[in-house]
Coordinates of all heavy atoms in Angstrom, one line a residue:
M1 N 66.7 72.7 92.7 CA 67.5 73.1 91.6 C 68.2 74.4 92.0 O 67.6 75.4 92.3 CB 66.7 73.3 90.3 CG 67.4 73.7 89.1 SD 66.3 73.7 87.8 CE 67.4 74.0 86.5
H2 N 69.6 74.4 91.8 CA 70.4 75.6 92.1 C 70.9 76.3 90.8 O 71.5 75.6 90.0 CB 71.6 75.3 93.0 CG 72.5 76.4 93.3 ND1 72.1 77.4 94.1 CD2 73.7 76.6 92.9 CE1 73.1 78.3 94.2 NE2 74.1 77.8 93.5
L3 N 70.6 77.5 90.6 CA 71.1 78.3 89.5 C 72.1 79.2 89.9 O 72.0 80.0 90.9 CB 69.9 79.1 88.8 CG 68.8 78.2 88.3 CD1 67.7 79.1 87.8 CD2 69.2 77.3 87.2
N4 N 73.3 79.2 89.2 CA 74.4 80.1 89.5 C 74.5 81.1 88.4 O 74.9 80.8 87.3 CB 75.7 79.3 89.7 CG 76.9 80.1 90.0 OD1 76.7 81.3 90.2 ND2 78.0 79.5 90.1
Y5 N 74.2 82.4 88.6 CA 74.3 83.4 87.6 C 75.5 84.2 87.7 O 75.8 85.2 87.0 CB 73.0 84.3 87.7 CG 71.8 83.6 87.3 CD1 70.8 83.3 88.2 CD2 71.6 83.3 85.9 CE1 69.7 82.6 87.8 CE2 70.4 82.6 85.6 CZ 69.5 82.3 86.5 OH 68.3 81.6 86.2
G6 N 76.4 83.9 88.7 CA 77.7 84.7 88.8 C 78.7 84.2 87.9 O 78.5 83.8 86.8
K7 N 80.0 84.2 88.4 CA 81.1 83.7 87.6 C 81.0 82.2 87.5 O 80.5 81.6 88.3 CB 82.4 84.2 88.1 CG 82.5 84.5 89.6 CD 83.9 85.0 89.9 CE 84.0 84.9 91.4 NZ 85.1 85.3 92.0
P8 N 81.6 81.7 86.4 CA 81.6 80.3 86.2 C 82.2 79.5 87.4 O 83.2 80.0 88.0 CB 82.4 80.0 84.9 CG 82.4 81.4 84.2 CD 82.3 82.4 85.3
K9 N 81.7 78.4 87.7 CA 82.2 77.6 88.8 C 83.7 77.3 88.7 O 84.2 76.9 87.6 CB 81.5 76.3 88.9 CG 81.8 75.5 90.2 CD 80.9 74.3 90.3 CE 81.2 73.6 91.6 NZ 80.3 72.5 91.8
G10 N 84.5 77.5 89.8 CA 85.9 77.3 89.7 C 86.7 78.5 89.2 O 87.9 78.4 89.1
T11 N 86.1 79.5 88.8 CA 86.8 80.7 88.3 C 87.3 81.6 89.4 O 86.5 81.9 90.3 CB 85.9 81.6 87.4 OG1 85.5 80.8 86.3 CG2 86.6 82.8 86.8
M12 N 88.5 81.9 89.5 CA 89.1 82.7 90.6 C 89.2 84.2 90.1 O 89.4 85.1 90.9 CB 90.5 82.2 90.9 CG 90.5 80.8 91.5 SD 89.6 80.7 93.1 CE 90.7 81.6 94.1
A13 N 89.0 84.5 88.8 CA 89.2 85.8 88.3 C 88.0 86.7 88.8 O 86.9 86.2 88.9 CB 89.2 85.8 86.8
P14 N 88.3 87.9 89.2 CA 87.2 88.8 89.6 C 86.4 89.2 88.4 O 86.8 89.1 87.2 CB 87.9 90.0 90.2 CG 89.3 90.0 89.5 CD 89.6 88.6 89.2
E15 N 85.2 89.7 88.7 CA 84.3 90.3 87.6 C 85.1 91.4 86.8 O 85.8 92.1 87.4 CB 83.0 90.8 88.2 CG 82.2 89.8 88.9 CD 81.4 88.9 88.0 OE1 81.0 89.4 86.9 OE2 81.1 87.8 88.4
P16 N 84.9 91.5 85.5 CA 85.6 92.6 84.8 C 85.0 93.9 85.2 O 83.9 94.1 85.5 CB 85.3 92.3 83.3 CG 84.1 91.4 83.3 CD 84.1 90.7 84.6
L17 N 85.9 94.9 85.3 CA 85.5 96.3 85.6 C 85.3 97.0 84.3 O 86.2 97.1 83.5 CB 86.6 97.0 86.4 CG 86.4 98.5 86.7 CD1 85.1 98.6 87.6 CD2 87.6 99.1 87.4
V18 N 84.1 97.5 84.1 CA 83.8 98.2 82.8 C 83.6 99.7 83.2 O 82.8 100.1 84.1 CB 82.5 97.7 82.2 CG1 82.2 98.5 80.9 CG2 82.7 96.2 81.9
T19 N 84.4 100.6 82.5 CA 84.3 102.0 82.8 C 84.0 102.7 81.5 O 84.3 102.2 80.4 CB 85.7 102.6 83.3 OG1 86.7 102.3 82.4 CG2 86.1 101.9 84.6
P20 N 83.4 103.9 81.6 CA 83.0 104.6 80.4 C 84.3 105.1 79.7 O 85.3 105.3 80.4 CB 82.2 105.8 80.9 CG 82.5 105.9 82.3 CD 82.9 104.5 82.8
P21 N 84.3 105.3 78.4 CA 85.5 105.8 77.7 C 85.8 107.2 78.2 O 84.9 108.0 78.5 CB 85.1 105.7 76.3 CG 83.7 105.7 76.2 CD 83.2 105.1 77.5
M22 N 87.1 107.5 78.1 CA 87.5 108.9 78.5 C 87.1 109.8 77.4 O 87.1 109.4 76.2 CB 89.0 108.9 78.7 CG 89.5 108.2 79.9 SD 91.3 108.2 80.0 CE 91.5 109.9 80.7
T23 N 86.9 111.0 77.7 CA 86.6 112.0 76.7 C 87.9 112.5 76.1 O 88.9 112.4 76.7 CB 85.8 113.2 77.3 OG1 86.6 113.8 78.3 CG2 84.4 112.8 77.8
D24 N 87.8 113.1 74.9 CA 89.0 113.6 74.3 C 89.5 114.9 75.1 O 88.7 115.7 75.5 CB 88.7 114.1 72.9 CG 88.5 112.9 71.9 OD1 88.8 111.8 72.3 OD2 88.0 113.2 70.8
P25 N 90.8 115.0 75.2 CA 91.3 116.2 76.0 C 91.1 117.4 75.1 O 91.1 117.4 73.9 CB 92.8 115.9 76.1 CG 93.1 114.9 75.0 CD 91.9 114.2 74.8
E26 N 91.0 118.6 75.8 CA 90.9 119.8 75.1 C 92.3 120.4 74.8 O 93.1 120.5 75.7 CB 90.1 120.9 76.0 CG 88.7 120.5 76.1 CD 87.9 120.7 74.8 OE1 88.2 121.6 74.1 OE2 87.0 119.9 74.6
P27 N 92.6 120.7 73.6 CA 93.9 121.3 73.3 C 94.0 122.7 73.9 O 93.0 123.4 73.9 CB 94.0 121.3 71.8 CG 92.6 121.0 71.2 CD 91.8 120.4 72.4
V28 N 95.1 123.1 74.3 CA 95.3 124.4 74.9 C 95.2 125.4 73.8 O 95.9 125.3 72.8 CB 96.6 124.5 75.7 CG1 96.9 126.0 76.1 CG2 96.6 123.6 76.9
P29 N 94.3 126.5 74.0 CA 94.2 127.5 72.9 C 95.5 128.2 72.7 O 96.3 128.4 73.6 CB 93.2 128.5 73.5 CG 92.5 127.7 74.6 CD 93.4 126.7 75.1
H30 N 95.8 128.5 71.4 CA 96.9 129.3 71.0 C 98.3 128.5 71.1 O 99.3 129.1 71.0 CB 97.1 130.6 71.7 CG 95.8 131.4 71.7 ND1 95.2 131.9 70.5 CD2 94.9 131.7 72.7 CE1 94.1 132.5 70.8 NE2 93.9 132.4 72.1
C31 N 98.2 127.2 71.3 CA 99.4 126.3 71.3 C 99.5 125.7 70.0 O 98.6 124.9 69.6 CB 99.3 125.3 72.5 SG 100.7 124.2 72.4
D32 N 100.6 125.9 69.2 CA 100.7 125.3 67.9 C 100.8 123.8 68.0 O 100.3 123.1 67.1 CB 102.0 125.9 67.2 CG 101.8 127.4 66.9 OD1 100.7 127.8 66.8 OD2 102.9 128.0 66.7
V33 N 101.5 123.3 69.0 CA 101.7 121.8 69.1 C 100.3 121.2 69.4 O 99.9 120.2 68.7 CB 102.7 121.4 70.2 CG1 102.7 120.0 70.5 CG2 104.0 122.0 69.9
C34 N 99.5 121.7 70.3 CA 98.2 121.2 70.6 C 97.3 121.3 69.4 O 96.5 120.3 69.1 CB 97.6 121.9 71.8 SG 98.2 121.5 73.4
G35 N 97.4 122.4 68.7 CA 96.6 122.6 67.5 C 96.9 121.5 66.4 O 96.0 120.9 65.8
A36 N 98.2 121.3 66.2 CA 98.6 120.3 65.2 C 98.1 118.9 65.6 O 97.7 118.1 64.8 CB 100.1 120.3 65.0
L37 N 98.3 118.6 66.9 CA 97.8 117.2 67.4 C 96.3 117.1 67.2 O 95.8 116.0 66.9 CB 98.2 117.1 68.8 CG 99.7 116.9 69.1 CD1 100.0 116.9 70.6 CD2 100.3 115.6 68.5
A38 N 95.6 118.1 67.5 CA 94.1 118.1 67.4 C 93.7 117.9 65.9 O 92.8 117.2 65.6 CB 93.5 119.4 67.9
E39 N 94.4 118.5 65.0 CA 94.1 118.3 63.6 C 94.4 116.9 63.1 O 93.6 116.3 62.4 CB 95.0 119.3 62.7 CG 94.5 120.7 62.7 CD 95.4 121.6 61.9 OE1 96.0 121.1 60.9 OE2 95.4 122.8 62.2
Q40 N 95.5 116.3 63.6 CA 95.9 114.9 63.3 C 94.8 114.0 63.9 O 94.4 113.0 63.3 CB 97.2 114.5 63.9 CG 98.4 115.2 63.2 CD 99.7 114.9 63.9 OE1 100.0 113.7 64.2 NE2 100.5 115.9 64.1
Q41 N 94.3 114.3 65.1 CA 93.3 113.6 65.8 C 92.0 113.6 64.9 O 91.4 112.5 64.8 CB 93.0 114.1 67.2 CG 92.0 113.4 68.0 CD 91.6 114.2 69.2 OE1 91.2 115.3 69.1 NE2 91.6 113.5 70.3
S42 N 91.6 114.7 64.4 CA 90.4 114.8 63.6 C 90.5 114.0 62.3 O 89.6 113.3 61.9 CB 90.1 116.3 63.2 OG 89.8 117.0 64.3
S43 N 91.7 114.0 61.7 CA 92.0 113.2 60.5 C 91.9 111.7 60.8 O 91.3 111.0 60.1 CB 93.4 113.5 59.9 OG 93.4 114.9 59.5
A44 N 92.5 111.3 61.9 CA 92.5 109.9 62.3 C 91.0 109.5 62.6 O 90.6 108.4 62.2 CB 93.4 109.7 63.5
R45 N 90.2 110.3 63.3 CA 88.9 110.0 63.5 C 88.1 109.8 62.3 O 87.3 108.9 62.1 CB 88.2 111.0 64.4 CG 86.9 110.6 65.0 CD 86.3 111.6 66.0 NE 87.2 111.9 67.2 CZ 87.3 111.1 68.2 NH1 86.7 109.9 68.2 NH2 88.1 111.4 69.2
R46 N 88.3 110.7 61.3 CA 87.6 110.6 60.0 C 87.9 109.3 59.3 O 87.1 108.7 58.5 CB 87.9 111.8 59.1 CG 87.1 113.1 59.5 CD 87.2 114.2 58.5 NE 88.6 114.5 58.2 CZ 89.3 115.4 58.8 NH1 88.7 116.1 59.8 NH2 90.5 115.8 58.4
A47 N 89.2 108.9 59.5 CA 89.7 107.6 58.8 C 89.3 106.4 59.7 O 89.7 105.3 59.3 CB 91.2 107.7 58.6
H48 N 88.6 106.6 60.8 CA 88.2 105.5 61.7 C 89.4 104.8 62.3 O 89.3 103.6 62.5 CB 87.3 104.5 61.0 CG 86.0 105.2 60.4 ND1 85.0 105.6 61.2 CD2 85.7 105.5 59.2 CE1 84.1 106.2 60.4 NE2 84.5 106.2 59.2
D49 N 90.5 105.5 62.5 CA 91.7 104.9 63.0 C 91.7 105.3 64.5 O 92.4 106.2 65.0 CB 93.0 105.5 62.3 CG 94.3 104.9 62.8 OD1 94.2 104.1 63.8 OD2 95.3 105.2 62.2
M50 N 91.0 104.5 65.3 CA 90.8 104.8 66.7 C 92.0 104.6 67.5 O 92.2 105.2 68.6 CB 89.6 104.1 67.3 CG 88.2 104.5 66.6 SD 88.0 106.2 66.4 CE 87.6 106.7 68.1
S51 N 92.9 103.7 67.1 CA 94.1 103.5 67.8 C 95.0 104.8 67.7 O 95.5 105.2 68.7 CB 94.9 102.3 67.1 OG 96.1 102.2 67.8
R52 N 95.0 105.4 66.5 CA 95.8 106.7 66.4 C 95.1 107.8 67.2 O 95.8 108.6 67.8 CB 95.8 107.0 64.9 CG 96.6 108.3 64.6 CD 98.1 108.1 64.8 NE 98.7 109.3 64.4 CZ 99.7 109.9 65.1 NH1 100.3 109.2 66.1 NH2 100.3 111.0 64.7
V53 N 93.8 107.8 67.2 CA 93.1 108.8 68.0 C 93.5 108.7 69.5 O 93.8 109.7 70.1 CB 91.5 108.7 67.9 CG1 90.8 109.5 68.9 CG2 91.1 109.0 66.4
S54 N 93.5 107.4 70.0 CA 93.9 107.2 71.4 C 95.3 107.6 71.6 O 95.6 108.3 72.6 CB 93.8 105.7 71.7 OG 94.2 105.4 73.0
D55 N 96.2 107.3 70.7 CA 97.7 107.8 70.8 C 97.7 109.3 70.9 O 98.5 109.8 71.7 CB 98.5 107.3 69.7 CG 98.7 105.7 69.7 OD1 98.4 105.1 70.8 OD2 99.1 105.2 68.7
L56 N 97.0 110.0 70.0 CA 97.0 111.4 70.0 C 96.4 112.0 71.3 O 96.9 113.1 71.8 CB 96.3 112.0 68.7 CG 97.2 111.7 67.5 CD1 96.3 111.7 66.2 CD2 98.3 112.6 67.4
N57 N 95.4 111.4 71.8 CA 94.8 111.9 73.1 C 95.9 111.8 74.2 O 96.0 112.8 75.0 CB 93.6 111.0 73.5 CG 92.4 111.3 72.8 OD1 92.2 112.3 72.1 ND2 91.4 110.4 72.8
I58 N 96.7 110.8 74.2 CA 97.7 110.7 75.2 C 98.8 111.8 75.0 O 99.2 112.5 75.9 CB 98.4 109.3 75.1 CG1 97.4 108.2 75.6 CG2 99.7 109.3 75.9 CD1 97.9 106.8 75.3
E59 N 99.1 112.0 73.7 CA 100.1 113.1 73.4 C 99.6 114.5 73.9 O 100.3 115.3 74.4 CB 100.5 113.1 72.0 CG 101.4 112.0 71.5 CD 101.9 112.3 70.1 OE1 102.5 113.3 69.9 OE2 101.6 111.4 69.3
I60 N 98.3 114.7 73.6 CA 97.7 116.0 74.0 C 97.7 116.1 75.5 O 98.0 117.2 76.1 CB 96.3 116.2 73.4 CG1 96.4 116.3 71.9 CG2 95.6 117.4 74.0 CD1 95.0 116.3 71.2
R61 N 97.3 115.1 76.2 CA 97.3 115.1 77.7 C 98.6 115.3 78.3 O 98.8 116.0 79.3 CB 96.7 113.8 78.2 CG 95.2 113.8 78.2 CD 94.6 112.6 78.9 NE 93.2 112.5 78.7 CZ 92.6 111.8 77.7 NH1 93.4 111.0 76.9 NH2 91.3 111.8 77.6
R62 N 99.7 114.8 77.7 CA 101.0 114.8 78.2 C 101.8 116.1 77.8 O 102.9 116.3 78.3 CB 101.8 113.6 77.8 CG 101.3 112.4 78.5 CD 102.2 111.2 78.1 NE 101.7 110.0 78.9 CZ 102.2 108.8 78.7 NH1 103.1 108.6 77.7 NH2 101.8 107.7 79.3
H63 N 101.3 116.8 76.8 CA 102.0 118.0 76.3 C 102.0 119.0 77.4 O 101.0 119.4 78.0 CB 101.4 118.6 75.1 CG 102.1 119.7 74.5 ND1 101.5 120.9 74.4 CD2 103.3 119.8 74.0 CE1 102.4 121.8 73.8 NE2 103.5 121.1 73.6
P64 N 103.2 119.4 77.8 CA 103.3 120.3 79.0 C 102.9 121.7 78.8 O 103.1 122.3 77.7 CB 104.9 120.3 79.4 CG 105.5 119.9 78.1 CD 104.5 119.1 77.3
H65 N 102.2 122.3 79.8 CA 101.8 123.7 79.8 C 101.9 124.2 81.2 O 101.6 123.4 82.2 CB 100.4 123.9 79.3 CG 100.3 123.7 77.8 ND1 100.6 124.6 76.9 CD2 99.9 122.6 77.1 CE1 100.4 124.2 75.7 NE2 100.0 122.9 75.7
E66 N 102.2 125.4 81.4 CA 102.2 126.0 82.8 C 100.8 126.0 83.4 O 99.8 126.2 82.7 CB 102.7 127.4 82.7 CG 104.1 127.6 82.3 CD 105.1 127.0 83.3 OE1 104.8 127.2 84.5 OE2 106.1 126.4 82.9
G67 N 100.7 125.5 84.6 CA 99.5 125.5 85.3 C 98.5 124.5 84.9 O 97.3 124.5 85.3
R68 N 98.9 123.5 84.2 CA 98.1 122.5 83.7 C 98.1 121.3 84.6 O 99.1 120.9 85.2 CB 98.5 122.1 82.3 CG 97.5 121.2 81.6 CD 97.8 121.1 80.2 NE 96.9 120.2 79.5 CZ 97.0 119.8 78.3 NH1 98.0 120.2 77.5 NH2 96.1 119.1 77.7

């Protein structure tokens, strides 16, 4: 008896890659824009709006700062 515990027979797709979630970015201290985004992020998290939290994480990461 042969047991196959891998991917289903005939499947060409690779195994899914599972990575840990990214941590929230740190807003730059004394930056009004970063501070406002962080406040919106906190509100979205309290409302369990994780899609909005993710969008705000991207905005915080992309907000330009010297030496960042």
